[in-house]
Amino acid sequence: MPLSEHEQRMLEQMERALYAEDPKFATALEGSGLRTYTRRRVYQAVAGFLVGIALLMAGMVAKQVWLSVVGFLVMLGCAVLAVTGWRKAPRPGEQPAGGGQQASRQGRQRRSMMERIEERWQRRRDEQQGH
């Protein structure tokens, strides 16, 4: 559930206060750990994908179908991990929780769509309480 405007303002005030009190701690919490974790996960998935290719080829050379199937499944699993990890990875300069302003056009469209949905939900709730 998205934060209301009041909650967003309070969160921004708390962030500014944290930066003012302890800037070193605040930068440590900024999300670089998440970015590093997702990047490492993507690299591991790519390495696993290469291992899957090796298993697939080894199965074909040795004429062992089961080894080729295992290699293909490893490749498939690692491809899924790489794609999901890549999508979740925050871009440089972007806050991972989406608390900051989003620079991309798609992010702004998504945010405005979510705001419209939230407004509709609020109107419906107000109408139901009014009756």
Side-chain angles (χ1 to χ4, degrees), residues 45-126:
V46 168
F49 188 84
L50 295 175
V51 168
I53 289 175
L55 286 173
L56 181 75
M57 297 304 248
M60 290 174 65
V61 169
K63 295 184 182 177
Q64 298 291 326
V65 175
W66 65 272
L67 188 59
S68 295
V69 170
V70 169
F72 175 75
L73 292 176
V74 168
M75 288 170 53
L76 182 65
C78 289
V80 169
L81 280 176
V83 169
T84 58
W86 191 263
R87 287 184 183 167
K88 290 179 183 177
R91 293 177 182 90
E94 181 182 37
Q95 293 181 353
Q101 294 180 355
Q102 297 179 355
S104 69
R105 181 178 172 204
Q106 182 182 10
R108 285 184 294 220
Q109 288 175 348
R110 185 179 304 137
R111 186 173 181 195
S112 63
M113 181 184 74
M114 289 304 293
E115 287 175 353
R116 288 189 309 235
I117 291 172
E118 188 175 342
E119 288 173 9
R120 289 178 189 166
W121 178 262
Q122 190 68 27
R123 272 188 271 138
R124 287 181 187 157
R125 195 169 17 164
D126 292 343

